[in-house]
């Protein structure tokens, strides 16, 4: 007997019918759909919700035959490199890594944005970024540290989403005027409702647990017009991070970004009121199409005082993000110098008096 399984159009999880709400509900991401919505989505997409195009058998074999997977015994990072890389180091903790073997072809991305900045250009930008930071540790710009700047293709899930957004708010028009000895204020209160069907394209979320999500969000945006179909040749000379966060796991991040943007769009359509205070908001993602991609990032880790500090640069646009460490000896030296200077000035003023 065949078993029919219904999949969520957003994350691919199992969908069950809830008698209480009379809706189809995903047990994983808690998305809900009416019978009409669900049937409409299934008629539009015969893939039962999982709209990411799995690579063909030939593409999977090519990827499997020409990539190596390295494992860091220290932090557990999984590093992808081309077949010509015999040994390397972990770009997270700088410890040596050991070759584990080949990858499965299912890890092959659909699209990639190639690097536009070389390592030499990145080092120049990094030095300028460090130039005005007075309290950096001495070896922060040393040759040995600069050599650790790594070109890394970061795994990103991009989501194309169909969205229904609704908002109810209280709008007030306040009119105040002077009448004799009195200040008169008239307040008219209105019930304001807005709704829209929206389409989002390419909402990003990185698929790596090792990389800080805020750091990766900060190097956006990428220019999607420069996406090209994935080819092994782009990995030559660079590393790639193996995704360890599924599209279902990144969906809550995607939802938060879409909810914020959708409600901003609805609010921007409300005009003519003195104040507008939303009291009910609802944003529903009713269909999601996924793209597994690789995006270029120049990345470096610096250990100082038992803590890791990260530098990242968008390998396509050159945008730089990171929080540099502060050298405690330099900070103490400045404080001592200031106290000495204050003492000399105080002594000079006292002698003059």
């Amino acid at each position: 007997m065949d078993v029919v399984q219904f999949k969520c159009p957003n994350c691919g999880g199992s969908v069950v019918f809830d008698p209480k709400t009379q809706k189809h509900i995903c047990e994983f991401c808690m998305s809900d759909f009416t019978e009409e919505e669900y049937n409409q989505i299934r008629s539009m997409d015969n893939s039962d919700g999982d709209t990411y195009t799995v690579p063909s058998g030939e593409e999977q074999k090519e990827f499997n035959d020409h990539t190596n997977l390295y494992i860091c015994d220290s932090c557990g990072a999984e590093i992808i490199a081309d077949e010509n890389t015999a040994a390397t180091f972990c770009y997270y903790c700088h410890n040596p890594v050991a070759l584990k073997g080949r990858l499965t072809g299912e890890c092959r991305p659909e699209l990639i944005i190639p690097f536009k900045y070389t390592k030499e250009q990145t080092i120049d930008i990094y030095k300028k970024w460090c130039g005005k930071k007075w309290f950096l540790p001495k070896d922060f710009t040393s040759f040995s540290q600069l050599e650790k700047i790594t070109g890394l293709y970061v795994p990103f899930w991009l989501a194309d989403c169909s969205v229904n957004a609704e908002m109810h708010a209280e709008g007030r028009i306040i009119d105040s005027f002077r009448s004799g000895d009195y200040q008169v204020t008239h307040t008219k209160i209105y019930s304001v409702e807005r709704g829209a069907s929206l389409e989002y394209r390419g909402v990003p979320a990185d698929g790596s647990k090792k990389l800080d999500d805020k750091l990766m969000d900060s190097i956006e945006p990428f220019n999607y017009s420069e996406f090209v179909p994935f080819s092994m040749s782009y990995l030559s000379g660079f590393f790639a991070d193996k995704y360890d966060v599924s599209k279902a796991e990144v969906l809550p991040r995607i939802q938060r970004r879409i909810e914020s943007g959708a409600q901003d769009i609805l609010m921007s359509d409300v005009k003519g009121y003195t104040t507008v205070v939303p009291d009910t908001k609802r944003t529903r993602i009713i269909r999601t199409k996924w793209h597994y991609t690789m995006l270029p990032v120049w990345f470096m880790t610096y250990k100082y005082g038992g803590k890791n500090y990260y530098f990242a640069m968008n390998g396509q646009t050159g945008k730089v993000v990171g929080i540099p460490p502060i050298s405690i000896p330099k900070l103490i030296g400045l404080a001592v110098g200031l106290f000495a200077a204050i003492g000399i000035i105080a002594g000079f003023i006292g002698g003059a008096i």
Side-chain angles (χ1 to χ4, degrees), residues 176-185:
S176 183
F177 59 91
R178 192 78 179 176
S179 178
D181 295 333
Y182 299 95
Q183 185 71 28
V184 180
T185 300

Side-chain angles (χ1 to χ4, degrees), residues 112-113 152-156 158 204 222 224 227 293-297:
I112 190 170
I113 293 180
L152 172 65
Y153 282 109
V154 176
F156 266 80
L158 304 187
F222 288 87
Y224 291 169
F227 264 125
T293 68
M294 288 286 187
L295 300 180
V297 178

Side-chain angles (χ1 to χ4, degrees), residues 11-25:
C11 73
S14 297
V15 172
V16 297
F17 181 73
D18 179 24
K20 184 177 180 179
T21 62
Q22 292 292 296
K23 290 184 178 182
H24 299 279
I25 298 177

Side-chain angles (χ1 to χ4, degrees), residues 36-344:
E36 182 182 359
E37 289 172 339
Y38 194 71
N39 288 335
Q40 182 181 11
I41 294 167
R42 294 190 68 204
S43 66
M44 294 170 61
D45 184 3
N46 293 324
S47 63
D48 281 338
D50 190 355
T51 55
Y52 165 56
T53 304
V54 177
S56 67
E58 183 178 341
E59 290 172 332
Q60 291 190 27
K61 185 178 185 303
E62 177 217 21
F63 190 74
N64 182 56
D65 290 344
H66 297 288
T67 54
N68 290 327
L69 179 64
Y70 294 84
I71 300 295
C72 176
D73 291 332
S74 177
C75 71
E78 297 180 305
I79 301 168
I80 301 171
D82 66 11
E83 61 186 333
N84 298 316
T85 303
T88 185
F89 64 91
C90 176
Y91 37 77
Y92 294 115
C93 66
H94 297 168
N95 287 321
V97 296
L99 177 64
K100 180 180 181 181
R102 297 297 188 184
L103 278 169
T104 62
E106 292 180 356
C107 294
R108 185 185 190 276
E110 175 187 350
L111 300 167
I112 190 170
I113 293 180
F115 276 90
K116 295 184 71 173
Y117 283 83
T118 66
K119 185 169 185 176
E120 291 73 21
Q121 291 173 317
T122 303
I123 289 175
D124 288 340
I125 292 172
Y126 173 74
K127 287 180 177 178
K128 291 177 182 177
W129 180 72
C130 294
K132 295 182 180 180
K133 296 173 174 59
W134 296 349
F135 302 109
L136 290 175
K138 289 182 179 180
D139 64 343
F140 196 63
T141 55
S142 65
F143 176 79
S144 61
Q145 183 64 27
L146 295 178
E147 280 299 298
K148 293 175 181 176
I149 293 179
T150 304
L152 172 65
Y153 282 109
V154 176
F156 266 80
W157 291 104
L158 304 187
D160 300 339
C161 299
S162 300
V163 177
N164 287 338
E166 302 170 354
M167 179 197 70
H168 179 271
E170 180 184 271
R172 296 191 176 198
I173 297 179
I174 301 173
D175 182 26
S176 183
F177 59 91
R178 192 78 179 176
S179 178
D181 295 333
Y182 299 95
Q183 185 71 28
V184 180
T185 300
H186 287 167
T187 301
K188 296 180 180 179
I189 300 176
Y190 298 86
S191 177
V192 181
E193 294 184 357
R194 292 292 186 274
S197 295
L198 305 169
E199 296 290 332
Y200 284 84
R201 294 288 179 265
V203 183
D206 72 272
S208 173
K209 292 179 181 177
K210 291 292 184 182
L211 290 169
D212 183 78
D213 292 340
K214 291 182 179 179
L215 187 72
M216 291 298 99
D217 290 346
S218 298
I219 64 172
E220 297 174 15
F222 288 87
N223 181 2
Y224 291 169
S225 67
E226 295 183 354
F227 264 125
V228 295
F230 177 80
S231 169
M232 287 298 306
S233 61
Y234 293 114
L235 289 186
S236 180
F238 300 96
F239 297 107
D241 203 3
K242 177 180 175 290
Y243 84 83
D244 53 8
V245 182
S246 69
K247 59 182 181 293
E249 291 173 299
V250 303
L251 184 59
R253 289 177 58 198
I254 299 289
Q255 287 175 318
R256 287 193 293 270
R257 299 185 77 162
I258 286 178
E259 286 170 1
S260 176
Q263 293 302 322
D264 286 344
I265 290 173
L266 295 184
M267 281 293 293
S268 69
D269 188 60
V270 180
K271 298 178 175 63
Y273 298 94
T274 308
T275 62
V276 179
V277 180
D279 53 35
T280 304
K281 298 178 181 179
R282 180 169 170 79
T283 303
R284 298 175 60 240
I285 300 177
I286 60 173
R287 183 172 181 266
T288 304
K289 182 176 181 180
W290 296 93
H291 305 279
Y292 175 46
T293 68
M294 288 286 187
L295 300 180
V297 178
W298 284 102
F299 185 78
M300 186 185 72
T301 305
Y302 179 81
K303 283 189 174 182
Y304 182 75
K307 182 180 178 182
N308 285 336
Y309 293 86
Y310 301 104
F311 165 85
M313 188 185 92
N314 187 312
Q316 180 196 38
T317 67
K319 182 179 179 181
V320 173
V321 295
I323 300 176
I326 296 176
S327 171
I328 302 302
K330 284 188 177 181
L331 201 59
I332 293 174
L334 176 66
V336 171
L338 286 175
F339 279 122
I342 292 171
I344 292 172

